[in-house]
Amino acid sequence: ALEIAKQANIIFCSFGDMLRVPGSEQDLLALKAQGADIRVVYSPLDALKLAQQNTDKQVVFFAVGFETTAPTVALAVYQAKRQQINNFSALVSHVRVPPVMQQLLSSKDNKVQGFLGAGHVCTIMGYHEYLPIAAQYHIPIVITGFEPVDILQGLYLCIKQLEQGKSEVENQYSRVVNQQGNQPAQQLLKQVFKVVDQNW
């Protein structure tokens, strides 16, 4: 990201929270202070609009996050192709939650006894992928919202399962999440992205 953002013909776009994340030598905020054209956007579609307005520059959106932010990036890429906007691209570093959970659980040093599944991720992806994880590793997974009462109830449901010797996927956040998730968003992800292995 830093190397791309240093280029003279680049407008590098990112969500604000990424600007202070340390890189090998510096962060994006320090690079911006040195004169790099780094802009905070609230949506990848804002970066796409910048590309339309600055046809003499390449606009790169730094796409980082879990399944929650990936659909908006996919939509921006889809729109760029559809509108033949050739000076827009994305530096993609999205990650998926289920493989991370499996990696943690398969470690010989694993001490995880239960998970509170992130409700915002499950809003997009559903929770069908968690069913085999709970069964294989005999661990409760409770899909939970973010309000204090959601988290408390999620903890209660997880502890209740542990006390009863259960290992099921339970949906505390049913007012927002269903098992299959947002199917149109998932289709867009499949159309735009290819899932590959990545080093952490």
Side-chain angles (χ1 to χ4, degrees), residues 156-187:
Y156 166 74
L157 293 172
C158 192
I159 291 167
K160 187 176 171 186
Q161 280 197 50
L162 287 168
E163 288 177 343
Q164 295 174 352
K166 292 183 178 177
S167 52
E168 300 171 349
V169 177
E170 202 166 351
N171 184 10
Q172 180 277 335
Y173 204 33
S174 59
R175 68 184 185 274
V176 177
V177 173
N178 64 58
Q179 186 171 341
Q180 297 308 313
N182 183 326
Q183 304 265 321
Q186 292 172 37
Q187 288 304 316

Side-chain angles (χ1 to χ4, degrees), residues 127-140:
Y127 58 89
H128 59 279
E129 289 184 282
Y130 296 170
L131 299 171
I133 296 172
Q136 179 181 353
Y137 295 99
H138 308 289
I139 192 163

Side-chain angles (χ1 to χ4, degrees), residues 15-82:
F15 294 136
D17 58 355
M18 291 306 300
L19 265 61
R20 292 186 185 272
V21 174
S24 303
E25 298 171 9
Q26 65 184 145
D27 58 31
L28 288 167
L29 192 61
L31 193 59
K32 180 177 174 60
Q34 293 169 11
D37 193 351
I38 299 171
R39 303 188 193 185
V40 173
V41 294
Y42 297 99
S43 163
L45 295 172
D46 294 340
L48 184 61
K49 190 172 183 180
L50 280 170
Q52 290 173 299
Q53 296 167 348
N54 297 275
T55 55
D56 58 327
K57 300 235 180 171
Q58 287 292 319
V59 176
V60 179
F61 178 75
F62 193 16
V64 178
F66 288 91
E67 294 95 334
T68 312
T69 56
T72 57
V73 176
L75 180 61
V77 171
Y78 176 83
Q79 291 290 353
K81 182 176 181 182
R82 195 168 145 252

